[in-house]
Amino acid sequence: MKKIFIPIVLGFFLALFLFPEMSLAKPRVVLDAAHGGTDIGVKAGSETEKEWNLKIAQVLQKAFEAAGFEVVMIRRGDGALEPDKRTEMINTSQASAVIILHADREWTGSKRGPYLVVEPPTKMEAGEAVEIQKWGYITLAQYRSNLKLARAVAQKLGIGTEFSNLSDTRGTGGETPTPDGRVFCLPHQSLRYLTLPSIVLSPLFLTSSSDLKKFSNADNLAEFAAQVVQGTSEYLQIAP
């Protein structure tokens, strides 16, 4: 038995030496370009959210793949997906990180991206377990993972990692939110039912001419994607 076992073990380690890529599976990330099909999301003039979400997701896909990630794209084209199907695809993906892309708009035209959103932890009162399961449940441990991912990405993007003062107090205990904070702890329909480390990333406001100009430039978009990859890699403690 030993004579058979030893060559097998030696062969395994020799394979890892000759082919180091076999030693570790690729880290997997999910990119979800929100909306699609008849659901265009927000609109500002001729700019539609669904188109920008997909455009940015495609650039991010290339950047993540170039960095050695396996990428799961929830939406590859202008197709519509029901929320339940999106949730199922994400939760069964076995990914290490989930990034959901949303664009935004506001009436003054002065606000600019990017910013990030994490779902606050669920506060469960006695007797509410069944109802909370129905409406989604974010454990404290998952919330902390989500926040760690959001702040790692925010730091690489060069934006404030503090909580916005519009954040839900359930997730800001012990911290003082600021008007300049770019991490929002708020209930979000795209995050509520997810069981993996997940964030919403909003790169731009469609009502901001400077945002549109920035993200219409291929070099700027590539730099943005590289920073998101770096932040995600840091969250996963992967050397860039």
Side-chain angles (χ1 to χ4, degrees):
M1 184 70 174
K2 290 183 179 179
K3 291 181 179 179
I4 298 174
F5 179 72
I6 291 173
I8 292 174
V9 173
L10 290 176
F12 173 75
F13 284 105
L14 180 61
L16 291 182
F17 177 76
L18 294 174
F19 306 101
E21 68 275 10
M22 293 173 56
S23 61
L24 291 173
K26 288 183 178 182
R28 183 178 299 166
V29 63
V30 169
L31 298 176
D32 183 6
H35 308 289
T38 57
D39 176 13
I40 66 170
V42 300
K43 185 176 182 181
S46 61
E47 307 292 343
T48 61
E49 181 185 2
K50 69 171 185 176
E51 292 176 353
W52 276 102
N53 293 342
L54 184 59
K55 176 181 178 179
I56 294 173
Q58 289 169 338
V59 176
L60 282 171
Q61 178 187 10
K62 293 179 181 178
F64 271 109
E65 289 177 343
F69 282 77
E70 178 184 349
V71 179
V72 177
M73 292 284 282
I74 299 300
R75 179 164 72 90
R76 294 181 177 274
D78 188 25
L81 277 174
E82 292 296 325
D84 289 350
K85 181 62 177 177
R86 272 190 148 99
T87 299
E88 179 186 2
M89 291 175 68
I90 293 172
N91 286 342
T92 59
S93 68
Q94 297 183 316
S96 300
V98 179
I99 299 174
I100 302 171
L101 293 159
H102 277 276
D104 207 343
R105 61 161 293 157
E106 55 85 43
W107 67 276
T108 68
S110 61
K111 289 189 177 181
R112 299 174 57 184
Y115 68 85
L116 302 102
V117 182
V118 294
E119 180 84 7
T122 306
K123 183 179 179 182
M124 185 169 64
E125 303 293 343
E128 289 185 344
V130 173
E131 197 65 18
I132 282 178
Q133 258 336 91
K134 176 181 175 183
W135 295 109
Y137 184 82
I138 303 296
T139 66
L140 184 59
Q142 182 185 347
Y143 161 74
R144 287 172 175 164
S145 292
N146 297 346
L147 181 58
K148 183 179 178 182
L149 173 59
R151 284 181 161 159
V153 172
Q155 184 179 41
K156 292 301 180 182
L157 289 173
I159 59 176
T161 60
E162 304 87 3
F163 284 119
S164 162
N165 60 353
L166 299 177
S167 294
D168 191 310
T169 56
R170 285 177 292 172
T172 59
E175 296 189 45
T176 303
T178 70
D180 298 324
R182 304 303 285 174
V183 176
F184 290 73
C185 180
L186 293 171
H188 199 292
Q189 60 181 1
S190 294
L191 297 170
R192 192 164 304 135
Y193 297 98
L194 302 185
T195 58
L196 303 175
S198 307
I199 59 173
V200 164
L201 172 58
S202 291
L204 77 163
F205 281 80
L206 301 183
T207 44
S208 167
S209 58
S210 59
D211 274 358
L212 292 174
K213 181 179 179 180
K214 173 184 175 180
F215 285 97
S216 295
N217 181 285
D219 291 338
N220 290 339
L221 191 49
E223 181 183 4
F224 171 84
Q227 291 167 338
V228 174
V229 172
Q230 289 168 7
T232 306
S233 297
E234 186 167 295
Y235 163 75
L236 296 174
Q237 297 183 331
I238 300 171

